Amino acid sequence: MTDTTAAWRALSASAEASAARPIAGLFDSEPDRLQRLTLEAAGLVLDLSKQSWNAAGVEAALNLARAAGVEAARARLFAGEIVNASEKRPALHMALRAPDGADFKADGVPVSREVEATRAAMRTFAEAIRSGRKVGATGKPFRAIVHIGIGGSDLGPRLIWEALKPLDPQIELRFAANVDPNELAQALTGLDPAETLLVTVSKTFTTLETLANAETARAWLRASLGQASDAHLVAVSAAPDKAKAFGVPEDQVFGFWDWVGGRYSVWSAVGLSCAIALGYDAFERLHAGAAAMDAHFQDAPLERNAPVMLALAHVFNRNGLGRPIRAVVPYAQRLRLFAAFLQQLEMESNGKRVTADGRPAPHATAASVFGDAGTNGQHAFFQLLHQGTDVVPVDIVAVAKGSEGDPAAQKKLLANAVAQAEALMIGRAMPDDPQRHFPGNRPTSFLLLDQLTPEALGALIALYEHKTFVEGMLWEINSYDQWGVELGKTLAARVLADLDGTAQNPHDPSTQALIDRLK
């Protein structure tokens, strides 16, 4: 393990010095600041000039990246070497969106031809559904898809559909993730079983919530259409035998691989529902945008590398300045689920307390992420951002050209995005009226998309994927496992047995009292 102690000390010292200077004043003392801290990558513009770091702080952060071996780690990632040490797996989601003809290997085993074959099968299936060549048990074309999955099997597809869906879609796409029966009931209500495709996504095909919902939805189909309704079942899983045992026709089981982490899996057949509902060409364009960001991340020098620089800005705030919370505010209603998507991507990837080799983590790790669409968030949590006792860095995402609606309203939306970033930085001094005083000096990252196209969305998601990887390398943790989700699920099975009366497990007094109330 490379010794980064000196680099971390230098970062802390630079952060302390930076904190003593107002951000707004740095534009005068650093005439090249805007040019130096504005980056373009895969069609996105990233402005980091309103971050808290001065030029020395930026250099200290870059030196940390060099000392931590980020460039070598990036090469290992793209080479398909094992980077998920606890599960002994590569993390090769980039292979899923690479153009045909790529040559990715997972731990030395070629995978690109298999990926291409799966994509071709997805295209064939999606086009057959959309064209009406493939119909349901009664001969009706499919007009709706219910996508059942949770975590990475839900958040990515749900974000993509919300961001890109037509106002009047040919095929309606609904989602059910929560085991709360209300969500599935809402997803099924009003649909015609004869026109509904059920897509179940589970890597192991054992996930409790997903199987409970899939069984209920299958019963809903069979109650109307009988056993023939199994033709309406589609599965995406790395356990095809279990999917087939569930009743899914063999030619409607789409696989993916153990080197694809759940929260990085939307590029695989996990995104099949979106590929059908949006059309496969849109899904392919999503891939192209992500692949363009992959190429930028691989090739750009650290100081002009958008994922690297965004990671360093976040680490500067998290570790250098002790800011444990970050807000994400997309000024685009279609991106309102972006913060929820990042909660899993960042907090599940990097919410770790031990290093990749099992030592206590020497540095604070993932920040807590929250957010909502602007301008809605301005009327909810922006009070805290502007005048709260904690400094909360903010990522603002804006789209220059709206997808639909009144251009004048889009201009108002953009004016708010730009003004909030400025207001957070410059504040407003009112020494005689402390209630209306804005301290300012609150950092933002500003991401600008020209339009919310599939390419731009793909690039945006890939930007944050790679940013998360860089942060994990700096913190010396494994960004690709998630053991922290296991314990609660294990105990839930015990509690369920207690509630069903099939067991009487020992619990603490508080837990036992809750179980007794619920029996």
Side-chain angles (χ1 to χ4, degrees):
M1 183 66 66
T2 304
D3 186 4
T4 58
T5 304
W8 276 107
R9 285 177 182 159
L11 182 82
S12 296
S14 293
E16 187 176 344
S18 294
R21 300 279 308 270
I23 299 169
L26 296 173
F27 289 94
D28 294 326
S29 60
E30 301 174 7
D32 66 340
R33 181 177 179 84
L34 180 61
Q35 178 272 329
R36 184 166 39 83
L37 291 174
T38 300
L39 300 94
E40 296 190 22
L44 311 184
V45 177
L46 173 62
D47 179 1
L48 296 171
S49 66
K50 290 187 178 75
Q51 281 292 339
S52 297
W53 50 17
N54 59 15
V58 173
E59 191 56 36
L62 284 165
N63 285 338
L64 174 61
R66 296 181 187 109
V70 164
E71 290 163 304
R74 176 183 62 190
R76 291 195 299 273
L77 176 73
F78 278 85
E81 296 182 20
I82 291 175
V83 294
N84 178 352
S86 69
E87 296 177 298
K88 297 180 174 58
R89 294 171 181 168
L92 209 54
H93 38 283
M94 302 80 64
L96 301 171
R97 62 229 189 181
D100 285 354
D103 187 26
F104 279 91
K105 295 180 175 65
D107 195 22
V109 178
V111 297
S112 292
R113 302 294 80 77
E114 193 174 354
V115 168
E116 290 167 13
T118 300
R119 290 197 303 226
M122 290 172 62
R123 176 186 281 278
T124 298
F125 187 74
E127 291 177 349
I129 295 291
R130 290 183 63 82
S131 68
R133 294 195 308 274
K134 190 170 189 64
V135 296
T138 66
K140 287 185 175 182
F142 290 105
R143 301 295 184 198
I145 299 170
V146 176
H147 178 108
I148 295 177
I150 198 167
S153 298
D154 169 76
L155 289 165
R158 200 185 287 245
L159 167 66
I160 288 166
W161 176 246
E162 187 74 20
L164 300 177
K165 68 181 179 182
L167 293 178
D168 185 19
Q170 173 190 333
I171 296 176
E172 185 176 359
L173 176 54
R174 299 184 183 182
F175 294 86
N178 202 330
V179 74
D180 182 339
N182 175 264
E183 185 170 32
L184 181 61
Q186 290 194 51
L188 296 177
T189 296
L191 298 183
D192 180 354
E195 297 179 340
T196 301
L197 196 67
L198 175 64
V199 178
T200 300
V201 183
S202 174
K203 191 170 187 177
T204 61
F205 226 78
T206 59
T207 308
L208 181 148
E209 300 96 328
T210 300
L211 285 188
N213 283 329
E215 287 166 359
T216 301
R218 183 184 60 182
W220 173 80
L221 284 173
R222 287 178 174 175
S224 177
L225 304 174
Q227 198 73 28
S229 66
D230 284 3
H232 294 229
L233 302 179
V234 178
V236 179
S237 180
D241 290 342
K242 290 178 181 175
K244 285 181 274 188
F246 186 79
V248 182
E250 185 172 359
D251 63 348
Q252 293 180 189
V253 178
F254 295 83
F256 63 109
W257 305 270
D258 64 5
W259 43 263
V260 181
R263 53 194 173 274
Y264 301 89
S265 65
V266 72
W267 319 102
S268 71
V270 169
L272 177 64
S273 298
C274 293
I276 299 170
L278 295 170
Y280 196 85
D281 287 348
F283 193 63
E284 198 167 53
R285 291 170 60 196
L286 184 83
H287 279 181
M293 185 59 73
D294 293 341
H296 167 82
F297 178 54
Q298 268 193 293
D299 298 338
L302 297 184
E303 67 275 10
R304 302 303 300 168
N305 194 303
V308 172
M309 292 298 290
L310 185 60
L312 293 178
H314 290 168
V315 167
F316 193 86
N317 281 300
R318 176 71 179 103
N319 300 102
L321 295 168
R323 296 166 177 169
I325 303 171
R326 192 177 88 255
V328 177
V329 185
Y331 277 78
Q333 185 65 18
R334 283 179 169 273
L335 290 175
R336 66 186 179 88
L337 300 179
F338 191 51
F341 174 81
L342 292 183
Q343 284 174 337
Q344 189 199 22
L345 176 62
E346 299 190 30
M347 296 164 71
E348 190 169 272
S349 293
N350 289 341
K352 312 288 172 61
R353 60 183 298 276
V354 297
T355 63
D357 58 2
R359 295 173 291 112
H363 312 286
T365 57
S368 298
V369 177
F370 76 99
D372 196 6
T375 59
N376 294 3
Q378 294 175 196
H379 300 272
F381 53 83
F382 267 56
Q383 167 65 43
L384 181 148
L385 299 183
H386 282 287
Q387 291 185 315
T389 54
D390 292 309
V391 174
V392 178
V394 184
D395 289 359
I396 292 175
V397 183
V399 181
K401 300 170 187 169
S403 303
E404 55 267 315
D406 182 3
Q410 179 69 15
K411 195 171 289 186
K412 291 181 176 70
L413 181 69
L414 291 168
N416 274 275
V418 172
Q420 289 294 335
E422 182 180 34
L424 286 162
M425 180 178 71
I426 65 173
R428 183 177 68 187
M430 297 191 72
D432 297 329
D433 190 351
Q435 304 294 343
R436 291 178 171 82
H437 174 75
F438 288 71
N441 210 34
R442 305 199 169 203
T444 59
S445 304
F446 201 104
L447 263 164
L448 183 62
L449 289 62
D450 183 52
Q451 288 183 285
L452 188 51
T453 61
E455 292 89 346
L457 180 61
L460 178 67
I461 294 172
L463 167 70
Y464 276 84
E465 287 179 346
H466 294 316
K467 186 236 27 154
T468 299
F469 165 73
V470 172
E471 289 174 333
M473 288 306 306
L474 299 178
W475 292 324
E476 303 175 33
I477 60 179
N478 178 0
S479 298
Y480 297 111
D481 62 9
Q482 55 281 327
W483 299 108
V485 307
E486 297 296 323
L487 178 58
K489 293 194 295 185
T490 301
L491 295 185
R494 296 177 65 224
V495 171
L496 181 60
D498 293 329
L499 293 175
D500 286 342
T502 59
Q504 191 168 356
N505 293 298
H507 298 282
D508 64 88
S510 172
T511 301
Q512 188 60 55
L514 289 170
I515 291 169
D516 292 342
R517 285 178 180 273
L518 292 169
K519 281 184 176 178

